[in-house]
Amino acid sequence: MDPVLSGVCGTFLVFILLSLGMPIAFSMMLAGFLGISFLTSVDAALPVLARTVYETSSHYPYTVIPLFVVMGGFAGSSGMTRQLYAAFDKWLRVLPGGLGIATIVACAGFAGVSGSSVATAAAMGTVAIPEMNRFHYSPKLSAGTVAAGGTLGFLIPPSIGFVVYGMLTEQSIGKLLIAGIVPGLLLALAYIIVIVSWVKINPEVAPSSPDPVSWRDKFAALLPVWEPLMIFLIVMGGIYFGFFTPTEAGGIGATMLFLVALSKRKLNWPVFKTSLLESVSISVMVLFLVAGANVFSTFLALSMIPIKVSTWVVSLEVSRYMILAIIILIYLFLGCFLDAISMMVLTMPVIFPVIINLGFEPVWFGVIAVLMMEAGLLTPPMGLNVFTVAGVAKDVPLESIYRGILPFLISIFVVVLFIILFPKSATFLPNMMLR
Amino acid sequence: MGRNGTIIFWIQRVNRSVCYAGMLLLVPLMLLTSADVIGRAALARPIPGIVELSSYMLDVFILLGLAYTQQVKGHVRVSMLTSRLPQRAQQSLEIVVTLLSLFIMVLLAWQGWVVGMEETAVSDMLRIPQRPFKLLVGVAAILLCLELVVDLVSAVTAGIRSA
């Protein structure tokens, strides 16, 4: 059989296996193993499995993943979520939909010290949703706000999304993380605009606002915001100025948050255990997806599909933006039933060479890809953040959460469009980096 | 709790304990990394071999958590399509999928052992042998296989009960 044809069969096999409900990492390992056996020999395919698993799980740059995840766990357990929300609530409550805006800003702040998006949504949901209920916000608005705000964790560094993209495409993880800052802030701004215009058009969704507070209280509430802000500045500043690598930044960030949680006496054994368990299970899940993808990419490379596809796409007589639009649509479709990391791991081996051959900038495309993964966290029927919020706001039906998310989802596409039209908005910061 | 129940209880308990043991390595990992950066910046004295040590710690951290992640169903899977099938079909699919996962993990356990025993290299600076860390791939895969057997038993039992 022709290698390309067997590559196509292998790809179908992965999709069949994963739609049967087999863990995605194992599906890719199995299909990759069978494919390599078919194209070379079983003897050549057997050691690939064990070698890839060892190389992935002992690859030094990947230590950043458990460290970034545990940062979020320590930050949450030291009470930063509550403090951030309390502070921004006091400043922003007078605006239309002020509690929603405070939620978005607090999510952005928490995203600055946390690597995982679902953790952000869960942590903020338990704080912000009861508060918005108390002031009779429409559940559509409040649940939509929290689910959307949670996605900021995926874009604003530290972010697992950029780490995985960097690993799969061999791009500088440091540059990618820095590139996420401006688009992350843009997206937060877009969410705020959504909330304000929603409340302006239909004031019933946010009927009342809490009374304004005195300036004294406002400034007093700002005090605890310094902790996460300082940690964010040290971690990202260190990467930006080349003082340390992203991995070392993860170590420093985790240590600082660990010490903060310890000093506040918030870190008892159950909380500590939960943070570590979360870190271990997310890291194992991500690294096994990467290991599975590496086994599968070995097979795909043997089948020559990535090269053939990218030369074919480049030979097409259409604008490269047309192809980019198709890729974005593919991500939108896949996002409906795959989670963010799986989507990245499944598509990058084929899509990344296409992007490079079309002459797009890899760091810039990383931002677009991560934004599309965020959209995938919100799209029905399998929006991961939506389920998380539904778990917190138990009385709100899933349909109204999805309806509440729609305007935020549209604003993600507006930001994607903005970054396509003005690529510099994503790339000027990383391009100014010293190394 | 019959004999099967006792065995399942112990498998899950062992895998949980193994995971707890491995996850504690995250603390030295984060502290050593910070100490290295501070030592390098303030005293011009980095920790020798920090990269090797960290890699080995990551290896143990990840591999010891492998079976537990399966226990809490932490390996992502798509349930959208199967959840709409009738219960009977879901149960049969679950058995098929678990058997397929078991197949690839048995291969990994076997090859982890083979590839590990062939390894004679040591790390660059500290001369730590790679072999035990490579053999750990086999150990982790065996523990994962046990966990998959537990899943298989419960899938089969559920199938028999509803029949």
Side-chain angles (χ1 to χ4, degrees):
Chain A
M1 190 157 62
D2 174 47
V4 174
L5 186 60
S6 54
V8 173
C9 293
T11 310
F12 269 112
L13 182 63
V14 170
F15 278 94
I16 291 169
L17 289 175
L18 67 86
S19 56
L20 292 182
M22 186 162 169
I24 298 172
F26 305 165
S27 314
M28 285 192 290
M29 281 184 194
L30 181 58
F33 167 73
L34 294 177
I36 298 170
S37 310
F38 183 77
L39 288 178
T40 58
S41 68
V42 179
D43 287 340
L46 279 171
V48 172
L49 274 180
R51 283 215 188 98
T52 311
V53 169
Y54 175 73
E55 274 154 22
T56 310
S57 55
S58 64
H59 188 51
Y60 173 70
Y62 296 170
T63 44
V64 72
I65 293 177
L67 292 170
F68 275 2
V69 176
V70 89
M71 279 175 75
F74 288 156
S77 53
S78 67
M80 277 183 190
T81 336
R82 202 165 286 279
Q83 286 168 357
L84 282 168
Y85 183 77
F88 294 123
D89 162 41
K90 291 201 175 66
W91 282 83
L92 300 166
R93 57 169 61 179
V94 287
L95 296 171
L99 295 177
I101 300 174
T103 309
I104 296 292
V105 179
C107 279
F110 190 74
V113 289
S114 164
S116 123
S117 168
V118 173
T120 312
M124 206 53 75
T126 47
V127 181
I129 287 181
E131 200 57 20
M132 289 194 266
N133 282 347
R134 205 151 67 86
F135 291 93
H136 308 290
Y137 274 45
S138 137
K140 261 193 279 183
L141 177 65
S142 58
T145 304
V146 173
T151 66
L152 291 170
F154 216 65
L155 193 60
I156 296 179
S159 141
I160 299 292
F162 283 121
V163 174
V164 174
Y165 178 82
M167 295 197 271
L168 294 169
T169 60
E170 295 176 342
Q171 295 301 309
S172 152
I173 291 173
K175 285 195 171 180
L176 285 163
L177 291 170
I178 298 292
I181 296 177
V182 173
L185 295 177
L186 275 177
L187 187 61
L189 184 68
Y191 287 163
I192 291 171
I193 295 173
V194 166
I195 296 173
V196 173
S197 23
W198 194 346
V199 176
K200 284 277 175 209
I201 295 167
N202 186 359
E204 283 158 30
V205 292
S208 62
S209 281
D211 297 328
V213 289
S214 68
W215 284 98
R216 199 192 165 83
D217 283 350
K218 278 184 188 172
F219 282 105
L222 269 191
L223 220 52
V225 175
W226 280 106
E227 277 164 11
L229 188 63
M230 278 308 290
I231 292 171
F232 175 78
L233 289 179
I234 292 172
V235 168
M236 285 304 133
I239 295 177
Y240 186 81
F241 291 108
F243 288 139
F244 39 69
T245 64
T247 307
E248 291 166 346
I252 289 183
T255 307
M256 283 191 293
L257 286 161
F258 178 67
L259 295 178
V260 167
L262 266 187
S263 68
K264 292 187 177 164
R265 299 177 185 284
K266 292 269 173 64
L267 208 64
N268 50 16
W269 169 244
V271 170
F272 182 63
K273 191 176 81 175
T274 314
S275 301
L276 288 189
L277 273 181
E278 186 196 15
S279 170
V280 99
S281 56
I282 293 183
S283 309
V284 169
M285 183 268 278
V286 170
L287 283 189
F288 260 70
L289 276 172
V290 172
N294 285 346
V295 174
F296 192 70
S297 309
T298 311
F299 159 59
L300 274 189
L302 285 172
S303 80
M304 298 188 297
I305 283 190
I307 304 172
K308 291 256 160 100
V309 169
S310 56
T311 27
W312 172 71
V313 170
V314 172
S315 72
L316 293 176
E317 301 276 319
V318 291
S319 154
R320 58 180 188 157
Y321 288 99
M322 188 69 205
I323 293 161
L324 184 68
I326 293 171
I327 290 175
I328 287 174
L329 284 179
I330 293 175
Y331 278 141
L332 184 64
F333 170 72
L334 288 178
C336 294
F337 58 98
L338 286 175
D339 74 290
I341 305 288
S342 312
M343 192 150 83
M344 188 111 70
V345 151
L346 280 167
T347 56
M348 276 314 154
V350 176
I351 286 190
F352 189 67
V354 171
I355 288 295
I356 293 299
N357 266 347
L358 289 174
F360 287 118
E361 205 181 336
V363 170
W364 168 85
F365 181 69
V367 174
I368 303 276
V370 165
L371 271 164
M372 289 313 298
M373 311 288 141
E374 292 197 325
L377 289 169
L378 297 179
T379 40
M382 289 297 287
L384 204 55
N385 270 14
V386 179
F387 293 151
T388 312
V389 172
V392 179
K394 289 195 177 62
D395 47 340
V396 186
L398 215 50
E399 286 94 278
S400 19
I401 303 185
Y402 277 121
R403 220 167 293 153
I405 278 169
L406 192 63
F408 296 102
L409 197 57
I410 293 168
S411 73
I412 294 184
F413 288 98
V414 174
V415 173
V416 169
L417 193 65
F418 183 87
I419 289 167
I420 293 174
L421 292 177
F422 306 100
K424 284 243 158 28
S425 58
T427 54
F428 81 96
L429 269 184
N431 284 346
M432 286 193 318
M433 274 167 77
L434 299 176
R435 57 167 185 160
Chain B
M1 193 157 58
R3 188 191 283 165
N4 278 345
T6 321
I7 295 172
I8 288 173
F9 173 79
W10 279 102
I11 289 176
Q12 295 197 322
R13 187 161 180 180
V14 165
N15 280 338
R16 206 159 43 235
S17 317
V18 163
C19 176
Y20 285 1
M23 77 185 186
L24 290 176
L25 278 176
L26 195 58
V27 178
L29 179 66
M30 104 194 161
L31 294 178
L32 277 178
T33 309
S34 303
D36 176 57
V37 173
I38 294 167
R40 194 176 63 201
L43 315 163
R45 278 178 61 184
I47 297 173
I50 178 77
V51 171
E52 297 160 15
L53 280 177
S54 303
S55 308
Y56 284 146
M57 280 192 275
L58 179 70
D59 182 73
V60 178
F61 175 82
I62 293 295
L63 291 174
L64 293 189
L66 178 60
Y68 178 77
T69 305
Q70 175 64 26
Q71 191 179 109
V72 296
K73 301 290 172 282
H75 290 288
V76 277
R77 49 198 285 183
V78 179
S79 57
M80 189 180 96
L81 304 166
T82 48
S83 62
R84 284 159 201 217
L85 294 173
Q87 200 198 8
R88 193 98 191 109
Q90 274 189 43
Q91 285 164 342
S92 325
L93 269 184
E94 183 66 27
I95 295 172
V96 171
V97 159
T98 312
L99 279 172
L100 287 173
S101 307
L102 199 54
F103 168 71
I104 195 74
M105 285 307 140
V106 166
L107 287 186
L108 182 64
W110 168 39
Q111 284 302 309
W113 176 257
V114 172
V115 170
M117 287 313 278
E118 284 168 359
E119 185 60 68
T120 52
V122 293
S123 67
D124 293 334
M125 269 185 93
L126 303 173
R127 321 290 300 161
I128 305 171
Q130 274 191 23
R131 183 183 284 177
F133 298 95
K134 261 195 168 164
L135 285 174
L136 201 60
V137 172
V139 176
I142 290 171
L143 293 177
L144 176 58
C145 287
L146 290 177
E147 200 66 53
L148 286 168
V149 170
V150 170
D151 291 345
L152 189 64
V153 170
S154 56
V156 172
T157 333
I160 294 171
R161 201 168 293 149
S162 69

